[in-house]
């Protein structure tokens, strides 16, 4: 016993020395690495500002790629290099799946849905969804559904807020709107969440938010065993997570049950869920529930996240808002539509500057800021970085939007003009591997067109009728959930536009 105490006392000063005097990482500009604990001390010190910390680190690296060292032989590579992103998402797509290490963390919540599966299971879901999202009928339904939701729910909520003069949580309103829209579009269910606090959808939404936030924290745990122990003992955040997931599953199971019961009745409208039910290999209640949850995540959290940050950016840049209003005024003059009439699909296509402003917001605040892959075989990235079999690899879309090497010296500036073609004034797209807000390669977002339809329709309807004022000039605090949310909500006042 005395010998053991002597060894501990002898080693303790050495351990302290290594903690305060780290050895250099493979790149002196990357994440600092320490004996035994790897790069975790830096993570602990910067958990409250994780994304800003990664921007600072990657921007200092010669190729915008750094190694986050883990205890043991397996490591985590983080990159903001477009060439590496293309290599991962397209060139060597099969070598970089989600991987069991990633999917196991989210399995409690997302099961084997499209965002948490690989191989044949992912491909079958992707193929079915792609067919549905590519049809003209979908576009028409999105337009009609968005029109109804804006006129009957969103505008009345804002009118009431304008009348009372109270602050409203715009993020919450946008999440409710998007939730109602995706439920109607994908499952033909009217959740009536916006403007109806008694709706069953509200309880689901709250549980969904809680589950998404807690489960995303698993990725930033200093030790994975910590959340696994809490889960095993059913204590702390893992107990709250289990209760929240139970509420989410109950709501999704009810949607699936009702759709199966409806069967092929004459008044039944074909929708996305019905297509999955018709596929024999995917129509088990558990798989269908996973599909429902995945598409709610895709349809609710992404567009609401994008629009929340957009309206905050707009409040900081009135000159951009003025240009959007001028564009809308010009389109009104061309089409003869009155304010209050929602734009049709052909009119939305004319909104080049608004499209550019939303895209510029997505560049700076992508709804999915970091995406994680697993490496299935030894690889060398285009920038020369070695990635071993079983290593984790992430591309950081949030950091990419702030890289001078990609966007120039004004990379931090909100400037929609960077997306406008100087020769004809039209929208100029970018390489998706440079701008992966909608992912890229075989996994590129199938709902991209639908997302732009919703976002442009909402922004046009809101800005033409209301002035949105967000108090304060500081950037809202980031909440890292499954998507990039604003901690505490985005509170604003609305006034009728004269």
């Amino acid at each position: 016993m005395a010998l053991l105490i002597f060894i501990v006392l002898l080693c303790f000063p050495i351990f302290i020395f290594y903690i305060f005097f780290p050895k250099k990482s493979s790149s002196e500009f990357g994440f600092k690495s320490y004996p035994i604990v790897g790069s975790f001390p830096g993570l602990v010190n910067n958990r409250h500002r994780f994304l800003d910390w990664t921007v600072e680190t990657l921007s200092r690296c010669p190729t915008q790629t750094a190694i986050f060292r883990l205890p043991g032989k397996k490591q985590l590579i983080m990159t903001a290099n477009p060439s590496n992103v293309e290599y991962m998402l397209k060139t060597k797509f099969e070598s970089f799946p989600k991987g069991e290490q990633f999917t196991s963390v989210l399995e409690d919540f997302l099961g084997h849905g499209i965002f948490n599966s690989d191989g044949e299971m992912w491909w079958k879901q992707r193929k079915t969804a792609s067919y549905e999202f590519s049809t003209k009928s979908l576009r028409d339904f999105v337009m009609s559904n968005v029109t109804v939701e804006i006129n009957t729910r969103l505008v009345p909520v804002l009118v009431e807020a304008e009348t009372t003069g109270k602050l409203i949580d715009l993020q919450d309103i946008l999440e409710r709107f998007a939730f109602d829209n995706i439920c109607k579009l994908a499952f033909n269910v009217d959740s009536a969440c916006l403007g109806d606090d008694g709706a069953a959808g509200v309880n689901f939404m709250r549980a969904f938010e809680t589950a998404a936030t807690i489960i995303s924290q698993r990725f930033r745990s200093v030790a994975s065993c910590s959340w696994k122990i809490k889960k095993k003992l059913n204590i702390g955040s893992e107990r709250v997570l289990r209760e929240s997931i139970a509420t989410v599953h109950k709501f999704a199971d009810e949607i699936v049950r009702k759709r199966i019961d409806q069967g092929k009745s004459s008044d039944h409208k074909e929708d996305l869920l019905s297509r999955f039910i018709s596929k024999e290999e995917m129509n088990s209640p558990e798989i269908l529930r996973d599909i429902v949850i995945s598409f709610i995540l895709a349809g609710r959290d992404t567009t609401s996240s994008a629009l929340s940050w957009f309206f905050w950016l707009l409040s900081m840049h009135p000159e951009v808002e003025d240009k959007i209003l001028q564009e809308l005024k010009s389109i009104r003059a061309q089409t003869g539509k009155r304010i209050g009439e929602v734009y049709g699909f052909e009119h939305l296509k004319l909104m080049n500057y608004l499209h550019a402003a939303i895209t510029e917001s997505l560049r700076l605040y992508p709804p999915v800021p970091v995406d994680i892959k697993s490496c299935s075989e030894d690889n060398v990235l285009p920038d020369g970085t070695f990635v071993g079999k079983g290593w984790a690899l992430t591309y950081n879309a949030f950091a990419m939007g702030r890289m001078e090497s990609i966007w120039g010296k004004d990379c931090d500036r909100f400037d929609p003009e960077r997306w406008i073609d100087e020769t004809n004034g039209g929208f100029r797209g970018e390489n998706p591997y440079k701008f992966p807000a909608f992912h890229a390669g075989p996994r590129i977002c199938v709902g991209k067109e639908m997302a732009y339809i919703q976002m442009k329709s909402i922004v046009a309807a809101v800005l033409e009728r209301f002035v949105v004022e967000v108090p304060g000039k500081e950037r809202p605090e980031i909440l890292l959930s499954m998507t990039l949310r604003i901690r505490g909500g985005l509170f604003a006042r609305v006034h009728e536009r004269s």
Side-chain angles (χ1 to χ4, degrees):
M1 185 64 179
L3 178 61
L4 178 61
I5 294 174
F6 174 76
I7 294 173
V8 169
L9 291 174
L10 180 65
C11 294
F12 184 73
I14 300 174
F15 178 74
I16 293 297
F17 175 81
Y18 276 118
I19 288 294
F20 286 100
F21 299 96
K23 69 176 183 179
K24 291 182 178 180
S25 59
S26 57
S27 167
E28 61 180 309
F29 305 106
F31 298 105
K32 290 182 179 179
S33 180
Y34 301 79
I36 303 174
V37 294
S39 300
F40 279 114
L43 175 62
V44 172
N45 290 334
N46 292 279
R47 285 172 73 179
H48 64 291
R49 54 185 300 275
F50 174 77
L51 289 176
D52 292 323
W53 174 54
T54 60
V55 171
E56 294 164 3
T57 303
L58 293 174
S59 62
R60 292 194 301 264
C61 296
T63 65
Q64 286 70 61
T65 302
I67 300 177
F68 184 98
R69 297 204 172 274
L70 307 170
K73 294 183 179 180
K74 294 182 180 180
Q75 307 301 332
L76 167 66
I77 306 295
M78 182 175 290
T79 187
N81 185 313
S83 297
N84 291 343
V85 174
E86 183 172 7
Y87 185 80
M88 293 163 55
L89 303 186
K90 178 187 174 183
T91 309
K92 296 280 283 187
F93 173 74
E94 298 295 338
S95 296
F96 296 97
K98 290 285 186 180
E100 196 277 333
Q101 185 177 352
F102 174 88
T103 57
S104 63
V105 175
L106 296 179
E107 189 172 359
D108 296 345
F109 186 41
L110 298 181
H112 298 96
I114 191 169
F115 302 116
N116 202 44
S117 58
D118 288 312
E120 188 176 5
M121 175 61 72
W122 166 78
W123 173 245
K124 288 178 179 178
Q125 293 183 59
R126 169 81 186 192
K127 185 178 179 181
T128 302
S130 297
Y131 177 84
E132 185 72 15
F133 276 84
S134 65
T135 61
K136 180 180 181 297
S137 60
L138 172 73
R139 188 184 71 191
D140 295 340
F141 180 65
V142 168
M143 279 306 311
S144 62
N145 197 49
V146 169
T147 299
V148 171
E149 289 290 323
I150 288 174
N151 286 336
T152 64
R153 286 178 177 162
L154 180 60
V155 169
V157 167
L158 297 179
V159 168
E160 181 183 358
E162 193 274 335
T163 302
T164 60
K166 293 181 179 178
L167 282 170
I168 56 169
D169 183 354
L170 197 55
Q171 177 174 254
D172 179 65
I173 289 172
L174 292 168
E175 287 174 346
R176 292 177 186 231
F177 179 96
F179 177 63
D180 286 347
N181 215 30
I182 191 62
C183 284
K184 189 68 176 174
L185 170 67
F187 322 126
N188 197 25
V189 170
D190 185 4
S191 56
C193 195
L194 182 59
D196 183 1
D197 290 336
V202 175
N203 291 331
F204 168 85
M205 272 189 52
R206 297 293 169 258
F208 194 93
E209 290 167 9
T210 300
T213 300
I214 293 175
I215 209 159
S216 66
Q217 291 170 354
R218 288 178 172 180
F219 289 104
R220 299 190 301 280
S221 298
V222 175
S224 61
C225 62
S226 62
W227 68 261
K228 291 179 180 179
I229 291 172
K230 287 194 291 183
K231 178 184 176 182
K232 188 74 173 178
L233 298 176
N234 194 28
I235 60 174
S237 59
E238 287 295 319
R239 179 174 182 175
V240 176
L241 174 63
R242 179 174 294 182
E243 293 168 351
S244 299
I245 288 176
T247 300
V248 169
H249 283 183
K250 181 179 179 182
F251 183 86
D253 285 337
E254 186 66 11
I255 289 177
V256 171
R257 186 190 62 77
K258 286 182 178 180
R259 175 59 71 251
I260 292 175
D261 289 346
Q262 284 177 345
K264 298 292 182 180
S265 60
S266 57
D267 61 343
H268 171 57
K269 183 182 183 342
E270 187 78 4
D271 53 40
L272 181 64
L273 181 56
S274 298
R275 289 196 179 278
F276 280 106
I277 290 174
S278 68
K279 304 291 182 181
E280 201 171 306
E281 65 274 24
M282 290 185 289
N283 64 5
S284 74
E286 292 78 16
I287 292 296
L288 292 172
R289 180 187 66 200
D290 297 342
I291 290 169
V292 167
I293 294 171
S294 292
F295 279 96
I296 289 176
L297 174 66
R300 190 203 83 133
D301 284 38
T302 53
T303 55
S304 59
S305 166
L307 284 176
S308 296
W309 289 105
F310 174 80
F311 277 110
W312 172 72
L313 282 168
L314 212 58
S315 72
M316 300 295 107
H317 297 84
E319 74 284 359
V320 174
E321 181 175 334
D322 288 342
K323 288 184 179 181
I324 293 173
L325 290 169
Q326 287 301 316
E327 181 176 67
L328 297 177
K329 182 178 179 180
S330 174
I331 294 172
R332 291 281 184 202
Q334 294 176 46
T335 61
K337 279 185 170 289
R338 300 186 306 274
I339 292 177
E341 292 183 81
V342 179
Y343 293 95
F345 180 73
E346 293 303 317
H347 306 135
L348 293 175
K349 288 169 65 176
L350 300 174
M351 300 177 187
N352 291 308
Y353 188 80
L354 175 54
H355 197 101
I358 291 173
T359 304
E360 176 70 345
S361 176
L362 287 167
R363 180 183 73 86
L364 291 170
Y365 295 97
V368 182
V370 179
D371 195 35
I372 305 176
K373 302 292 183 184
S374 177
C375 186
S376 62
E377 59 184 358
D378 287 357
N379 266 283
V380 177
L381 301 179
D383 70 353
T385 304
F386 173 77
V387 187
K389 180 179 180 180
W391 290 19
L393 181 65
T394 77
Y395 71 87
N396 191 320
F398 184 88
M400 291 178 76
R402 291 163 171 77
M403 289 294 119
E404 186 176 324
S405 59
I406 301 176
W407 300 100
K409 292 185 180 299
D410 65 344
C411 58
D412 289 329
R413 186 159 64 94
F414 177 61
D415 180 19
E417 303 289 344
R418 74 175 80 239
W419 299 91
I420 298 295
D421 191 322
E422 294 180 0
T423 58
N424 58 24
F427 177 81
R428 183 184 67 236
E430 272 291 0
N431 183 329
Y433 305 102
K434 174 180 175 181
F435 171 67
F438 291 94
H439 210 71
R443 280 186 179 264
I444 193 168
C445 176
V446 295
K448 179 179 177 180
E449 182 182 10
M450 184 187 86
Y452 271 113
I453 287 174
Q454 288 190 78
M455 291 190 289
K456 290 163 76 171
S457 298
I458 291 170
V459 172
V462 170
L463 289 189
E464 284 193 319
R465 294 195 56 171
F466 303 97
V467 177
V468 179
E469 294 182 355
V470 179
K473 300 298 181 183
E474 296 296 320
R475 187 188 77 180
E477 186 178 352
I478 289 173
L479 173 64
L480 268 178
S481 182
M482 295 293 290
T483 53
L484 191 68
R485 301 179 68 239
I486 297 174
R487 186 181 296 278
L490 179 66
F491 285 89
R493 280 194 172 86
V494 293
H495 308 284
E496 189 173 357
R497 190 178 294 279
S498 59

